[in-house]
Amino acid sequence: MVEQPAPDSRPPAVSALEELYALVQQNPMQPLIQIAEGEVMHWLRVVEGKENVQPRFTPGSVPSTAFYRGLDSGAQQQLDPAAAGSRPEEFEDQFQARLAQLAERVDAYFGGGGYRASSEQCDRAMVELERLSRFLSAWCLRIEELGYDAPAAPAVVSHRPGARGFSAYAPPSAPAALVRWHQFFWEPHLNTAIVAWAENTLQPFDEALKYLKVLLELSGRERAGHFMGSGYPLRTWGRPRMKVAVFSPVQRPLRTRSVFEARYRQLLRRIEEAGESPGRAERGLLEDIRHFIAMVRDNVYMLANQPGFLNQARPGLPVIRGLPTTHPFLLDPAEFFKKAILFDNGTYTVAGGGVDAMYLQVRQLERYYRFHPGAQARRILGTIQDCAIAWEENRCDGFTAKLLEIAARLRRETGPLPAEP
């Protein structure tokens, strides 16, 4: 009788890490080592409970932490109720109407008279991009409410040459699967433009809109080659947008000392000490490690990072908006406070309009405080971010409540309301 090897009792993540370690040791190059160091440190914080695993796109499945799962599903509380009560068969007509609105806005951005890339044109385009993103997210949530739990894996047509990290997936015929196809197809391109606006970088924003203009002019089958690749980072539920970089670096000999091995050993110890406790986090960690191993083998990295902010133009990289000296909410905080109350108590309704304009002013206020950092900015930026996320999550009550919180804070810091005559 041949003696069988004893089963491996170690956590699966340990075996995956050992595979990654061997792969990195065989290729002592930079920036591979630096990228691997960053990922290992992220996984270490995940095991310690300080961060969550980065959700990534995998054909045929949706991460439980996907952003759209945090949207409001109640029709009475939605800022955009287009998907509420609708059937998958109704999606296509609604979506084509939304695409036409986006195309009209993009055409206005590039075809308008005067300086096409004015800050006002950029702002209007950003809101239209956000509205389409929220529309697609709301429809994905609607599909799950109807019981379509597992998305159909998109059929691979081919890999487009030179399409770093992107694959060709044909649009499915089933209406429910088509909703998810559109969401996964458009969201990376929408996110690129929206993040460029948030970073205040005009040239990347301009380039992102040019790319969207090309995609809008293609047929569904032609768009298939621009679909994201497996492992593409996805936005997390309740969290702000991340800047996603897709690149294939030129590997160079490592010339600096690396802490990769030390962090790797530390991560192994933490996983083994945790034992069974990580649970779902450990399973997500295993999947993320495997995604990263695939990136290393292909030398195509898809990484998410916090967006930056450009506060002054540099050669070849202009800003969307220069240093602002004031903001409507700060000019008249008493008037803003009154308006916020009217939105919060339902006097100003969604049907009456004005919510999108308020959202834009909230985002502009966020940009104002990035230009003017200080004690007040540190106290209020978190609330501003929560307000913007509530708008993106289709939560009318959450958006108006945070709007009122911003107004109350500004009112306290600028003095009481004037006495009534």
Side-chain angles (χ1 to χ4, degrees), residues 208-320:
L209 286 187
K210 286 178 182 177
Y211 194 24
L212 275 168
K213 183 175 174 61
V214 172
L215 294 178
L216 287 165
E217 294 169 353
L218 297 177
S219 66
R221 193 75 180 181
E222 292 171 328
R223 291 171 184 159
H226 300 262
F227 202 92
M228 71 175 78
S230 180
Y232 192 92
L234 302 176
R235 187 178 181 182
T236 305
W237 178 5
R239 301 294 300 165
R241 292 182 178 276
M242 301 288 286
K243 182 177 183 178
V244 178
V246 180
F247 58 99
S248 297
V250 176
Q251 300 293 346
R252 304 177 300 277
L254 184 66
R255 300 186 184 278
T256 59
R257 296 185 63 183
S258 170
V259 297
F260 170 74
E261 183 161 351
R263 298 301 185 194
Y264 162 76
R265 301 292 179 193
Q266 186 180 5
L267 177 58
L268 284 182
R269 287 196 303 272
R270 292 297 173 89
I271 293 177
E272 292 171 346
E273 289 169 2
E276 298 297 326
S277 60
R280 182 182 299 177
E282 200 269 341
R283 291 193 296 274
L285 181 64
L286 173 62
E287 185 176 347
D288 201 34
I289 294 171
R290 287 175 174 164
H291 276 304
F292 187 70
I293 290 173
M295 292 182 203
V296 173
R297 294 189 187 281
D298 295 341
N299 194 37
V300 177
Y301 296 93
M302 293 174 279
L303 306 176
N305 297 286
Q306 294 289 341
F309 184 76
L310 190 63
N311 56 18
Q312 61 182 4
R314 298 198 296 264
L317 192 59
V319 296
I320 290 174

Side-chain angles (χ1 to χ4, degrees), residues 121-140:
Q121 287 281 21
C122 293
D123 293 348
R124 294 191 192 111
M126 184 277 294
V127 173
E128 197 62 49
L129 295 168
E130 284 280 24
R131 291 182 71 249
L132 182 61
S133 176
R134 186 179 62 187
F135 170 83
L136 290 169
S137 294
W139 260 101
C140 276

Side-chain angles (χ1 to χ4, degrees), residues 382-420:
T383 306
I384 292 173
Q385 189 177 81
D386 292 341
C387 184
I389 291 175
W391 186 94
E392 294 170 326
E393 289 181 338
N394 218 13
R395 299 180 180 276
C396 182
D397 56 348
F399 174 71
T400 57
K402 288 297 179 180
L403 198 64
L404 184 57
E405 188 176 333
I406 295 170
R409 187 182 294 273
L410 293 180
R411 181 193 182 201
R412 287 195 304 268
E413 297 191 1
T414 55
L417 286 168
E420 294 290 341

Side-chain angles (χ1 to χ4, degrees), residues 48-68:
E48 293 174 345
K50 299 176 181 178
E51 291 184 6
N52 296 318
V53 177
Q54 172 64 56
R56 295 180 181 274
F57 169 70
T58 302
S61 67
V62 177
S64 60
T65 55
F67 181 78
Y68 73 81

Side-chain angles (χ1 to χ4, degrees), residues 311-343:
N311 56 18
Q312 61 182 4
R314 298 198 296 264
L317 192 59
V319 296
I320 290 174
R321 187 183 291 273
L323 180 69
T325 57
T326 189
H327 186 276
F329 294 170
L330 300 173
L331 275 177
D332 194 349
E335 182 64 26
F336 170 45
F337 183 80
K338 293 177 182 178
K339 186 183 293 186
I341 288 178
L342 293 175
F343 273 107

